[in-house]
Amino acid sequence: MPYKKFEEYNIQVTDDVKDRYKNIIEDLGENTSREGLLKTPERAAKAMQFLTQGYHQDPVEILKGAMFKESYNEMVIVKDIELYSLCEHHILPFFGKAHIAYIPNGYIVGLSKLPRIVDVFARRLQVQERLTEQILDCINDTLKPQGVAVVIEASHMCMMMRGVQKQNSLTTTSGFRGQFEKIETRNEFLKLIGK
Ligand SMILES: Nc1nc2c(ncn2[C@@H]2O[C@H](COP(=O)(O)OP(=O)(O)OP(=O)(O)O)[C@@H](O)[C@H]2O)c(=O)[nH]1
Ligand SMILES: [Zn+2]
């Protein structure tokens, strides 16, 4: 599917989801005829389409769109990439930062494409572990670098606003391929991102 910018909300989906949100809001005890809520089902339908737009985007195409032949073969790190995703168990947000590194193998990639693919995978119903692996595998399989590393640190609203209600817990996930499977390379990366 082509990489599309998110301007076109699907009219059919918006209508269907809007009607369902109206029912949900009423089932939860609110009055959808109240002035402040009149447009809420439609707003929520659009917001959810925005937050799940990753299903309609192709991360491989994004990376392939900006791969450049270069001989640079040291570590490239983009750190502190903010991410917002939705936990697939509760459809509540989890959010935090991703840190990505790779060692080129003949090709470098446009730097902005790394945060872009984070967004493509984050804007879906996710668990943090799968999000980490999908980013990792996408870079590894497309760019075929000498190595790639991904670390994600995130807070989960489903653990903060409800459930165990732990406000300060932070979940860290990581994945390493190629050269980063070697302890020295991995440690250099972790040191450079301040871990
Ligand atoms: N591994 C993993 N677990 C997650 C993620 N997001 C949410 N969860 C967990 O998914 C689990 C779902 O467990 P259930 O027991 O089915 O759901 P629940 O009764 O709502 O659980 P509590 O949150 O403990 O109240 C919970 O432990 C959540 O903390 C994630 O990204 N990765
Ligand atoms: Zn959850």
Side-chain angles (χ1 to χ4, degrees):
M1 213 172 286
Y3 168 53
K4 62 175 176 105
K5 289 221 162 60
F6 205 77
E7 267 117 34
E8 333 93 63
Y9 294 94
N10 182 308
I11 294 169
Q12 187 64 53
V13 174
T14 306
D15 269 0
D16 287 352
V17 177
K18 179 178 86 181
D19 288 347
R20 294 194 176 114
Y21 262 121
K22 196 162 179 282
N23 288 331
I24 291 169
I25 295 166
E26 280 167 8
D27 285 351
L28 294 174
E30 255 289 5
N31 168 16
T32 48
S33 316
R34 172 161 90 66
E35 198 192 350
L37 292 184
L38 281 178
K39 284 189 71 187
T40 297
E42 183 179 341
R43 290 192 199 98
K46 287 180 171 171
M48 287 308 289
Q49 283 179 79
F50 182 90
L51 298 174
T52 56
Q53 65 183 278
Y55 292 121
H56 309 291
Q57 295 169 334
D58 183 348
V60 172
E61 194 183 323
I62 293 172
L63 281 186
K64 282 192 171 157
M67 280 170 54
F68 311 108
K69 226 177 165 83
E70 279 296 337
S71 59
Y72 181 85
N73 63 2
E74 297 297 326
M75 199 180 293
V76 179
I77 302 179
V78 181
K79 67 173 190 172
D80 295 331
I81 303 166
E82 64 264 35
L83 74 86
Y84 296 90
S85 188
L86 290 171
C87 121
E88 71 181 15
H89 303 125
H90 301 95
I91 319 191
L92 286 172
F94 67 91
F95 59 95
K97 287 174 176 175
H99 314 289
I100 301 178
Y102 75 98
I103 301 172
N105 188 16
Y107 286 89
I108 55 166
V109 68
L111 288 178
S112 69
K113 304 306 177 192
L114 298 174
R116 280 193 193 284
I117 67 158
V118 169
D119 285 345
V120 169
F121 289 115
R123 287 173 176 159
R124 300 177 183 196
L125 301 185
Q126 277 290 10
V127 293
Q128 190 177 326
E129 294 90 333
R130 189 170 69 239
L131 174 60
T132 308
E133 289 230 310
Q134 287 177 333
I135 297 167
L136 192 72
D137 286 339
C138 179
I139 298 169
N140 201 40
D141 298 345
T142 310
L143 194 59
K144 300 190 188 342
Q146 295 182 58
V148 55
V150 176
V151 170
I152 295 179
E153 301 169 294
S155 303
H156 291 245
M157 289 309 257
C158 65
M159 287 174 68
M160 296 165 75
M161 292 177 74
R162 55 159 300 289
V164 287
Q165 300 181 53
K166 295 299 171 212
Q167 314 308 322
N168 297 306
S169 68
L170 192 69
T171 304
T172 303
T173 46
S174 59
F176 305 96
R177 297 275 190 276
Q179 294 286 324
F180 288 93
E181 289 168 50
K182 286 199 305 203
I183 197 77
E184 318 84 73
T185 316
R186 183 185 300 202
N187 283 346
E188 185 188 340
F189 162 64
L190 294 173
K191 199 172 136 207
L192 288 168
I193 64 168
K195 300 297 143 206

